[in-house]
Amino acid sequence: MLFSQDICIDPGSSDTRVFVKGKGRIFSEPSVVAVDTEGSGRVVAVGEEAKEMIGRTPGSLQAVCPIRDGVIADFDVATEMLRFLIRKATNNALFTRVRAMVCVSAGVTDVERRAVHLAARDAGARYVSLISAPMAAAIGANLPINRPEGSMVVDIGGGSTEVAVLSLGDVVSSQAIRVGGKHWDAAIIEYVRKKYNLLIGERTAEEVKLSIGSAFPYEGEGAMNIRGRKLDDGLPGSVEISSHEVRDALYEPLNRVAELLRTTVERTPPELVGDIMNSGIVLTGGGANLRGMARFLRTEVKIPVTVAEDPANCVIRGAGRCLSEKPVPARSGGAES
């Protein structure tokens, strides 16, 4: 006898989150898969275990991030990652008919939407429904999207940033750029390479961002020592980098986010802009946790900006609410939106 298990999946460039209906739990795993590149090409590890291998794998193993800039970059590896997460969500239970709601960027193409749908089906989901990530983020942030007034949400993920204006339960206007937390890490790597002639890895750059990174000056700024490989002689080296330097490194990608907000406001009907001026812009996604992010954007766009409660989980939390109120349809395996 088959039994159904409804789940929501938010596949991100940095982390993939899963909500399990009926259990009310959310768990996440890094969007990383370790693949044996010699012989069978089998998957060796997924999630946290695979992330620990980044920069440390032997020649026969490769750590792959199948979700890049918010879309599937490696279909087969993404399918294996989703299969792992579905099994974890169902506790490897046999005879389970999985019905999945998957979050997708509002700016994805029909081909990219189809790829997400097929990957979820191939991973074991019997029925698949798709939901716009900005809509889910707004619901998860408790915005009054069903009222005849404008609400603006900015979802800053690992690979992309999406801005959406919503009213009467629908998206009035939206835009997206492929700039997110991973691009901030890359900006730090490039800054250190140019200024100090030192090559650092992705994990070190992420540690710097989390430890002393900011979008706006803050009290108690400091510095930290980082290690890497000197480019002139290839030997190990270390330098001290300050909060001010990290902020300089992040300015260009952060300014692109601010410009995205400005252009979205320019394309929004004046009546809704007035609503947004009163209610403010709400930030969601893991990138919203960067120190001073709200203050930086408030200064740049001249509109009040606040950070949602638990911003990293807003999308999956909102999708979970939709799933609870409107179950994944049991009559069609096609993608819905």
Side-chain angles (χ1 to χ4, degrees):
M1 180 71 179
L2 290 175
F3 71 91
S4 297
Q5 177 67 73
D6 291 350
I7 64 175
C8 292
I9 304 174
D10 176 22
S13 299
S14 297
D15 297 283
T16 294
R17 293 174 171 82
V18 180
F19 170 87
V20 183
K21 183 182 177 181
K23 299 180 180 178
R25 70 187 181 104
I26 296 174
F27 67 86
S28 67
E29 288 280 353
S31 300
V32 184
V33 179
V35 179
D36 183 357
T37 57
E38 294 183 359
S40 64
R42 65 184 179 89
V43 172
V44 177
V46 179
E48 191 64 46
E49 184 180 355
K51 185 177 181 179
E52 292 297 324
M53 298 180 181
I54 292 179
R56 297 187 174 95
T57 57
S60 60
L61 293 180
Q62 181 181 7
V64 178
C65 299
I67 310 293
R68 297 175 195 164
D69 300 338
V71 298
I72 292 180
D74 190 316
F75 181 85
D76 292 335
V77 176
T79 299
E80 289 302 318
M81 182 183 74
L82 292 176
R83 180 175 289 115
F84 167 82
L85 292 169
I86 289 173
R87 288 176 177 172
K88 181 175 180 178
T90 58
N91 294 320
N92 291 310
L94 297 176
F95 312 115
T96 303
R97 181 175 58 185
V98 176
R99 302 187 296 187
M101 177 178 285
V102 186
C103 304
V104 295
S105 169
V108 297
T109 65
D110 289 341
V111 173
E112 290 166 339
R113 290 171 64 88
R114 183 64 177 169
V116 173
H117 176 257
L118 289 177
R121 287 292 302 273
D122 289 352
R126 182 75 177 273
Y127 306 106
V128 180
S129 179
L130 305 183
I131 182 173
S132 166
M135 177 65 76
I139 295 171
N142 297 315
L143 296 184
I145 61 172
N146 291 319
R147 297 179 186 174
E149 59 186 62
S151 298
M152 189 169 181
V153 63
V154 181
D155 185 50
I156 309 173
S160 63
T161 297
E162 297 185 66
V163 182
V165 176
L166 306 102
S167 180
L168 292 172
D170 202 356
V171 176
V172 177
S173 62
S174 66
Q175 290 192 92
I177 55 173
R178 294 187 174 180
V179 173
K182 284 185 172 291
H183 299 88
W184 301 349
D185 297 341
I188 294 172
I189 293 173
E190 183 65 11
Y191 181 91
V192 173
R193 186 189 70 81
K194 286 184 175 180
K195 184 169 183 178
Y196 294 108
N197 204 32
L198 184 74
L199 183 63
I200 61 173
E202 295 178 11
R203 292 172 62 87
T204 300
E206 182 181 25
E207 183 180 353
V208 169
K209 178 185 66 179
L210 296 177
S211 299
I212 61 173
S214 71
F216 204 86
Y218 65 96
E219 185 178 352
E221 291 189 354
M224 65 180 293
N225 287 311
I226 54 175
R227 297 178 179 179
R229 186 179 76 241
K230 293 188 290 184
L231 294 175
D232 51 359
D233 57 15
L235 297 176
S238 65
V239 297
E240 183 178 79
I241 187 170
S242 67
S243 299
H244 177 76
E245 290 177 298
V246 177
R247 194 158 50 250
D248 286 346
L250 296 178
Y251 179 76
E252 193 278 330
L254 291 179
N255 191 54
R256 291 187 60 190
V257 174
E259 183 61 28
L260 179 66
L261 267 65
R262 283 191 286 264
T263 57
T264 303
V265 171
E266 290 173 359
R267 300 178 182 182
T268 301
E271 292 81 3
L272 298 183
V273 173
D275 295 336
I276 294 169
M277 288 294 297
N278 292 327
S279 61
I281 299 170
V282 177
L283 304 183
T284 66
N289 287 318
L290 181 69
R291 292 181 188 86
M293 191 67 186
R295 191 172 179 184
F296 170 78
L297 293 176
R298 187 185 312 131
T299 301
E300 293 293 323
V301 300
K302 313 303 181 185
I303 296 176
V305 181
T306 59
V307 178
E309 181 181 354
D310 189 18
N313 284 321
C314 277
V315 172
I316 192 66
R317 190 167 60 240
R321 289 180 184 174
C322 289
L323 186 66
S324 299
E325 296 172 4
K326 180 184 177 182
V328 177
R331 290 176 298 184
S332 172
E336 294 197 349
S337 56

